[in-house]
Amino acid sequence: MESSSPVVRVRDLHKSYGSFEALGGISFDISAGETFALLGPNGAGKSTAIEILEGYRDRSSGEVSVLGVDPQRAGRAWKARLGIVLQSTGESGNVTVTEQLNHFAGLYPNPRRVSEVIDAVGLASKAKTRISRLSGGQRRRVDVALGIIGRPELLFLDEPTTGFDPEARHQFWDLVRRLKAEGTTILLTTHYLDEAAQLGDRAGVINDGRLIDIGTIAEIGGAEARVPLVRWRDAGGALHEVRTEEPARIVAGLAAAGGEPADLEVIRPSLEAVYLGLVRDHRTNGNADNNENGNSTTAGPVGATSDEEVLA
Ligand code: ADP
């Protein structure tokens, strides 16, 4: 495979279950080494798309290439180049963490060292513990360990940190960054938009089987959705909000007017706010356009919500 050809290439992918069209023609690429976040509400079609890429589900029409191969015609050698962390494997079993990983390592031609993987997922102290005795979050780490033991070129992470406490999530993010630094291409689905923003290079947003936006994390939703908001209270306690590309000018003006305005904030919409605006607008407009150029004209969210990042 040429280094310039995408690891994942999807063109006009359709999937119907009976008369119900779950995917209505989506197209995107994922480049080597990229972390791509596939976002969308429940029922949007994310799992359908991913299962097609993984070779678990046949498509109705369209073109799909994963690591240069059509998943519908791929064999075991191809499968060994993928790492798959499903939503929940419910991995329990009476074997220890080390035993389970040793078993799976034996299925791959060039596996990582088991002890390294156990360290990487933060389970060193549980290496000799039976999986059935682990907490839910620890079992999830075993799932992740099993997904990376085969040194995959392409790693599918389907809601990997559901049920993790905040510390475990941050440790997991560090692990994903290390995998990325090693050159692993990653397809991530998550309902945690901060996770997508932390880890993703680019994101695609699916709704009702359509790709409604795609672009870098900074581009998603379009420039309009990203305009910062300056908010403060005047001496009388009245709330003021100004959406502006030049927040510093507004703040400087307030300072020049004398005094320190109460509750002064400069707020940039977070990926979560932008995403919610995109999905809401798509629903409201019944817009079925397949926007693949990342230059969405969709109006973004306005107003500050609690999930926006306060920068000042
Ligand atoms: P997501 O992963 O984004 O939640 P899915 O791909 O699981 O979405 O589902 C997309 C749509 O297809 C949903 O409306 C779902 O009910 C439907 N669907 C998924 N799998 C099947 C199936 N095996 N048979 C019929 N409908 C299905």
Side-chain angles (χ1 to χ4, degrees):
M1 190 174 77
E2 289 172 39
S3 60
S4 58
S5 54
V7 169
V8 173
R9 184 175 188 279
V10 175
R11 290 293 177 278
D12 200 23
L13 174 60
H14 286 255
K15 175 67 187 181
S16 295
Y17 298 108
S19 61
F20 175 74
E21 189 175 62
L23 292 176
I26 64 170
S27 303
F28 64 92
D29 286 346
I30 305 176
S31 308
E34 191 174 37
T35 299
F36 185 82
L38 194 58
L39 308 175
N42 288 331
K46 303 180 299 296
S47 302
T48 298
I50 287 169
E51 287 167 10
I52 289 168
L53 298 182
E54 292 169 343
Y56 288 130
R57 208 175 267 292
D58 286 349
R59 59 190 180 268
S60 301
S61 65
E63 290 171 37
V64 178
S65 159
V66 174
L67 296 168
V69 176
D70 180 345
Q72 239 161 267
R73 303 204 181 90
R76 287 184 58 166
W78 172 82
K79 197 89 181 194
R81 298 165 66 197
L82 307 182
I84 297 178
V85 179
L86 297 171
Q87 271 184 31
S88 180
T89 52
E91 194 60 55
S92 55
N94 221 11
V95 296
T96 67
V97 171
T98 301
E99 286 165 350
Q100 182 79 328
L101 279 163
N102 271 332
H103 171 69
F104 275 83
L107 305 177
Y108 291 95
N110 181 26
R112 288 175 207 273
R113 280 185 45 200
V114 166
S115 57
E116 264 170 32
V117 171
I118 289 176
D119 278 350
V121 299
L123 283 176
S125 67
K126 301 288 176 189
K128 291 179 179 157
T129 304
R130 293 188 195 287
I131 293 172
S132 56
R133 301 221 164 158
L134 299 177
S135 73
Q138 289 164 344
R139 283 186 205 182
R140 195 73 188 120
R141 293 172 186 220
V142 175
D143 291 339
V144 174
L146 293 173
I148 64 175
I149 188 73
R151 207 182 294 277
E153 291 166 60
L154 172 61
L155 178 62
F156 292 90
L157 294 173
D158 198 358
E159 298 184 23
T161 62
T162 300
F164 279 30
D165 63 34
E167 193 190 1
R169 286 181 76 211
H170 280 267
Q171 286 171 355
F172 176 80
W173 292 353
D174 287 342
L175 168 62
V176 172
R177 291 189 186 108
R178 287 203 298 277
L179 293 169
K180 182 179 163 60
E182 288 175 16
T184 312
T185 307
I186 298 170
L187 201 171
L188 168 74
T189 65
T190 180
H191 286 300
Y192 300 116
L193 278 294
D194 59 334
E195 183 161 282
Q198 284 283 333
L199 300 178
D201 298 306
R202 287 190 309 136
V205 181
I206 297 192
N207 194 35
D208 292 336
R210 305 273 173 166
L211 196 64
I212 60 172
D213 203 358
I214 185 167
T216 65
I217 296 293
E219 284 167 357
I220 286 285
E224 176 61 24
R226 304 283 175 164
V227 176
L229 182 82
V230 182
R231 184 202 268 166
W232 72 95
R233 286 187 192 279
D234 64 24
L239 186 68
H240 296 266
E241 291 183 336
V242 177
R243 295 239 302 156
T244 174
E245 298 281 11
E246 299 178 308
R249 256 168 60 138
I250 302 285
V251 174
L254 291 169
E260 178 69 28
D263 299 338
L264 174 63
E265 293 176 302
V266 176
I267 300 157
R268 286 179 198 274
S270 65
L271 179 62
E272 180 152 317
V274 170
Y275 162 85
L276 290 172
L278 265 174
V279 172
R280 187 181 57 221
D281 288 349
H282 191 252
R283 284 206 179 119
T284 311
N285 300 340
N287 180 354
D289 287 347
N290 191 353
N291 181 355
E292 287 160 32
N293 58 16
N295 297 320
S296 170
T297 53
T298 313
V302 277
T305 57
S306 58
D307 51 48
E308 291 175 337
E309 291 148 7
V310 177
L311 297 186

